[in-house]
Amino acid sequence: DFVTVGVVSLSDTLVESTQGGIGFDAAEMASTGSFINTTGPGSEIYIEAGVVTLDSSRLETGSDDASGGGITIIADTVEITNVSDIVSQSQAGQSGGSIDIDATDVLIDQNSYIDVLAGENSTAGSITIDTQNFTIDNDSRLATRSETAGGIAGSITVTAQGDFAVRNESDLLAP
């Protein structure tokens, strides 16, 4: 499913696909208290917008029993705040999807995170962020990890041309 509109505004909403991807192409994409999830073959999340705001929301590919595809965000500004998260999981001996963000400004704030997770006998994807200004603040994290035996964590690459800040109990975690 792919939605092309001026503004995407999700509030306390579930958007889910079990056999394919979800995409948004908009001037602005704002999500408050929402969950966007894809699993199964071809599962991916693609967002292209001037401003992407996640507030108490979750973007996820994969689940506890299925690997997910990639998550791509292309925007001027990306704000992930107020216990929001972006997660790609791998399971059952499969490779997980990567998380790619290309934005002028990226903020991960207020106990929010971006994770790629490897399940049992699987390989996590990578996290790649290309930005001008990058900030992780207030107990937030950017991480790649394995949660079980035999899992292989992915890699993290952040290219920031301007400011790069990790502050106030926040973490950047890679094996």
Side-chain angles (χ1 to χ4, degrees):
D1 297 322
F2 200 88
V3 177
T4 302
V5 295
V7 175
V8 174
S9 180
L10 303 173
S11 180
D12 298 317
T13 302
L14 170 65
V15 179
E16 187 170 35
S17 174
T18 58
Q19 296 295 318
I22 297 171
F24 300 99
D25 183 357
E28 180 180 345
M29 192 274 194
S31 176
T32 303
S34 297
F35 180 44
I36 300 168
N37 176 258
T38 64
T39 59
S43 66
E44 67 177 15
I45 297 172
Y46 179 87
I47 300 170
E48 187 167 349
V51 177
V52 175
T53 305
L54 302 178
D55 180 2
S56 301
S57 294
R58 182 177 183 100
L59 301 180
E60 180 180 41
T61 61
S63 64
D64 290 339
D65 58 357
S67 286
I71 299 172
T72 301
I73 300 174
I74 300 170
D76 293 327
T77 302
V78 175
E79 295 180 352
I80 305 161
T81 64
N82 198 22
V83 195
S84 291
D85 53 350
I86 299 175
V87 178
S88 177
Q89 297 186 53
S90 60
Q91 299 294 336
Q94 299 175 12
S95 293
S98 293
I99 298 173
D100 298 301
I101 299 175
D102 186 348
T104 304
D105 296 296
V106 175
L107 172 65
I108 306 167
D109 196 11
Q110 300 167 337
N111 199 31
S112 298
Y113 59 89
I114 298 175
D115 277 352
V116 287
L117 307 174
E120 188 171 352
N121 299 317
S122 63
T123 303
S126 60
I127 299 172
T128 303
I129 300 175
D130 188 8
T131 185
Q132 182 69 32
N133 301 301
F134 178 80
T135 303
I136 302 176
D137 207 352
N138 298 312
D139 200 29
S140 297
R141 80 171 177 254
L142 181 65
T144 176
R145 57 198 167 98
S146 172
E147 294 189 315
T148 59
I152 300 170
S155 63
I156 297 174
T157 303
V158 178
T159 304
Q161 306 297 324
D163 296 332
F164 180 92
V166 179
R167 302 188 292 235
N168 300 319
E169 312 262 338
S170 296
D171 297 304
L172 184 90
L173 305 170

